[in-house]
Amino acid sequence: MDRFLQPVFFILFFALIFGSELTCLCAEDSAQTEVRQLSQERVSLLKTNLALKGTPQYFQSLYELGEVYWKHALKLGNDAMLMQEAQKKWQALSEMKEANLEWKNRAHFALAESYFSQTNFLLAMQHYHAVRSRFEVVTELKKEIAALEQNKNREQEKESLEDLLQETQTRVDLKIEAQIRTATCLNYLKSYDKARQLVEECLPLASEKQKENLIYQKVLSELLEGKPEAEVSLKLFETDYGFNASTEEGYWIWIQKLLAKNDQEKAIFYLKKLMDRSPEGRFANEGRALLDKLNEEEVTHATSSELSWNEVLTLAKSLRDKDAERARRECDRIIGAPVQEAVLKAEAMWLAGEILRDQKEYDKAAGYFEMIDIFLGESVKEKAMLGLLEAGKCYEKAGMKQEEKRVYQNLMERYPENPFRKQIELSLKKLS
């Protein structure tokens, strides 16, 4: 994602592994030097801030003081107390009646960014919404300057405002930047329609670079929502803006969506494209590992399709510990096959149930265990009885008392000669 759209999650880590003791000490000194420097900056600005109170320079000093706290917080690993101090300074500035609109604007934007970095998207949006357009700010500054034209005693204040006006006129429009980030917040909050609506509203006023960021937010909302048109939108974005950080992220999200739909073939196609376009990019290591895994699964699937059903069950058992999801899919293949021995199907149902039970998916596991009796019944009587008993235990762990009771009653009625009678009767007594 473009730098304007990324949360501020950048933390400096000071750790050198397998280095000499001297190297470690040097790294530690370096870290301490940076922290001391930040502390000195903060102290200096605090003093300046107090000295300037009541002057136009006070607002700038207060804003920059918040920045120093913020920078210091990031250096120390998103330190919560320092983050709060930064937010206090900017909050005070944003509420200060005598502060001009530009400094209030910057304070709101900085507050929004800080809350965004803490993934507090609702509070971030409140402050993004408070940001005014560059036109509004420039108009207000010009009025303030005009009011000071005839007052020679406030010449310094007038010059300060003129410098601020010039700087504001050359900066990006913070209102549009705030809208772009608001669209990002809405996407994170899964309010995809609102994100797309906001993009359409902002596009006519945006610069070329801002338009690129806004259009990507629209593509992102479609990708995250898994809309069918997302694939075309991503291709059009790449055609218009080339392969960049946003396109790279878009590819990665789309790959995850394809995998969620079990469209492995297309996922591999996009993954190969991503690795070709960005071999050293943001998702390079993760992407290569995923591609290797998917290719291995393809080979395994091709091989397993040529195996007998007994061999497929053996394969599933061998995959249980290293790839439980793959093992369960092989079990499902056996269960769904039209012709097969009842004993083999029962084994596959039991194995799938065990895998889900180990993953603490107790309600799903119970379904597989119960399936043995439902579909195979008397043909695998011993396994069916065990399956109902295990289903009851799973429902108990899932806290599904009604289902637990139903399964145990079913076991007692269908198989009155079962060897678990005393155990089941005690369980039913507790449930009554």
Side-chain angles (χ1 to χ4, degrees):
M1 196 181 290
D2 189 273
R3 64 188 177 85
F4 288 129
L5 303 180
Q6 289 202 29
V8 190
F9 287 140
F10 306 111
I11 302 170
L12 184 61
F13 294 99
F14 300 107
L16 294 173
I17 302 172
F18 304 122
S20 67
E21 186 177 342
L22 179 60
T23 307
C24 291
L25 287 170
C26 288
E28 191 176 326
D29 287 345
S30 174
Q32 288 174 352
T33 300
E34 288 197 40
V35 170
R36 278 198 300 272
Q37 184 181 345
L38 284 163
S39 298
Q40 287 164 3
E41 280 184 51
R42 193 171 76 242
V43 170
S44 175
L45 268 167
L46 275 167
K47 290 178 180 177
T48 306
N49 195 246
L50 290 170
L52 292 172
K53 200 159 188 178
T55 71
Q57 290 81 12
Y58 175 65
F59 311 131
Q60 180 176 351
S61 177
L62 188 57
Y63 175 79
E64 288 176 354
L65 182 57
E67 280 192 322
V68 171
Y69 274 111
W70 170 250
K71 184 179 175 185
H72 198 173
L74 295 180
K75 291 283 184 184
L76 295 180
N78 263 14
D79 183 88
M81 288 183 66
L82 289 170
M83 196 84 77
Q84 272 190 342
E85 286 302 319
Q87 290 165 344
K88 282 179 187 176
K89 304 306 173 197
W90 291 327
Q91 187 70 44
L93 180 56
S94 71
E95 295 171 353
M96 206 169 283
K97 288 183 180 179
E98 61 272 29
N100 63 57
L101 189 56
E102 172 63 359
W103 288 117
K104 285 184 178 181
N105 229 29
R106 294 190 194 185
H108 276 299
F109 192 81
L111 275 167
E113 294 284 83
S114 70
Y115 287 121
F116 187 99
S117 77
Q118 295 173 317
T119 66
N120 189 338
F121 301 123
L122 292 173
L123 198 49
M125 284 197 296
Q126 287 181 27
H127 287 284
Y128 284 136
H129 185 69
V131 175
R132 306 269 62 85
S133 72
R134 183 170 55 192
F135 175 79
E136 289 178 81
V137 174
V138 166
T139 302
E140 283 299 309
L141 284 174
K142 285 180 176 178
K143 284 181 182 177
E144 287 186 52
I145 291 167
L148 296 172
E149 288 290 348
Q150 306 304 318
N151 195 332
K152 297 297 180 184
N153 294 328
R154 300 177 70 181
E155 189 65 30
Q156 189 177 357
E157 184 179 342
K158 176 175 164 288
E159 288 176 5
S160 176
L161 285 175
E162 285 173 339
D163 290 341
L164 186 60
L165 172 62
Q166 187 175 0
E167 186 183 343
T168 303
Q169 287 173 321
T170 57
R171 284 166 60 93
V172 295
D173 191 332
L174 278 186
K175 180 64 176 178
I176 303 297
E177 292 299 311
Q179 299 287 59
I180 293 169
R181 287 157 169 78
T182 300
T184 312
C185 290
L186 289 168
N187 277 328
Y188 280 130
L189 293 168
K190 299 182 180 181
S191 296
Y192 304 120
D193 287 337
K194 288 183 179 179
R196 289 190 285 268
Q197 183 183 342
L198 182 60
V199 167
E200 293 301 329
E201 290 172 4
C202 294
L203 277 171
L205 302 171
S207 67
E208 285 306 309
K209 186 59 184 174
Q210 288 172 332
K211 280 180 182 176
E212 178 183 336
N213 295 332
L214 282 164
I215 290 168
Y216 178 66
Q217 286 306 311
K218 184 178 178 182
V219 174
L220 182 62
S221 70
E222 292 177 0
L223 288 167
L224 291 171
E225 195 174 5
K227 292 179 79 68
E229 58 266 36
E231 185 174 10
V232 175
S233 297
L234 182 59
K235 286 178 181 176
L236 289 172
F237 181 84
E238 185 178 1
T239 300
D240 291 339
Y241 299 104
F243 190 86
N244 54 30
S246 297
T247 321
E248 183 182 13
E249 182 187 63
Y251 265 76
W252 186 252
I253 293 169
W254 188 236
I255 288 162
Q256 308 312 310
K257 291 294 178 182
L258 289 169
L259 289 174
K261 295 176 184 175
N262 290 320
D263 193 344
Q264 195 159 305
E265 186 178 346
K266 191 178 272 192
I268 289 173
F269 169 76
Y270 276 102
L271 196 49
K272 284 178 178 176
K273 279 185 73 172
L274 180 59
M275 293 300 99
D276 288 342
R277 301 279 180 86
S278 185
E280 302 300 327
R282 179 178 164 193
F283 305 102
N285 293 335
E286 202 173 349
R288 275 190 287 271
L290 179 58
L291 186 57
D292 288 343
K293 181 177 181 291
L294 293 175
N295 283 331
E296 184 182 339
E297 284 184 7
E298 287 284 292
V299 172
T300 305
H301 180 72
T303 305
S304 67
S305 63
E306 299 168 5
L307 300 176
S308 70
W309 291 115
N310 276 306
E311 288 170 329
V312 173
L313 181 61
T314 302
L315 173 65
K317 288 177 178 178
S318 71
L319 288 169
R320 177 175 173 174
D321 292 331
K322 60 181 180 181
D323 192 347
E325 291 305 312
R326 175 66 179 166
R328 190 160 66 84
R329 285 201 297 273
E330 294 298 340
C331 289
D332 286 339
R333 286 183 62 219
I334 297 169
I335 295 164
V339 179
Q340 224 147 42
E341 295 176 17
V343 173
L344 190 62
K345 281 191 183 259
E347 285 294 323
M349 292 172 185
W350 186 271
L351 178 58
E354 285 185 323
I355 290 168
L356 286 163
R357 183 190 62 198
D358 292 346
Q359 293 173 335
K360 295 184 171 29
E361 297 271 3
Y362 296 119
D363 56 334
K364 293 179 184 175
Y368 275 97
F369 287 125
E370 197 175 354
M371 198 187 291
I372 300 170
D373 176 58
I374 293 169
F375 290 104
L376 305 172
E378 291 285 342
S379 62
V380 287
K381 189 173 180 180
E382 296 297 322
K383 205 72 173 178
M385 288 190 294
L386 284 168
L388 289 172
L389 179 67
E390 197 59 42
K393 290 177 182 177
C394 286
Y395 282 132
E396 181 185 4
K397 288 177 180 175
M400 300 169 70
K401 292 183 178 180
Q402 290 301 319
E403 292 301 308
E404 181 190 355
K405 185 177 181 180
R406 176 186 61 76
V407 168
Y408 285 149
Q409 285 175 337
N410 192 25
L411 176 55
M412 295 292 277
E413 289 168 10
R414 282 183 53 73
Y415 305 104
E417 75 284 13
N418 77 79
F420 326 114
R421 288 192 66 84
K422 288 185 179 179
Q423 181 183 342
I424 304 293
E425 284 170 356
L426 281 172
S427 297
L428 285 171
K429 192 173 181 181
K430 288 179 185 176
L431 290 166
S432 60

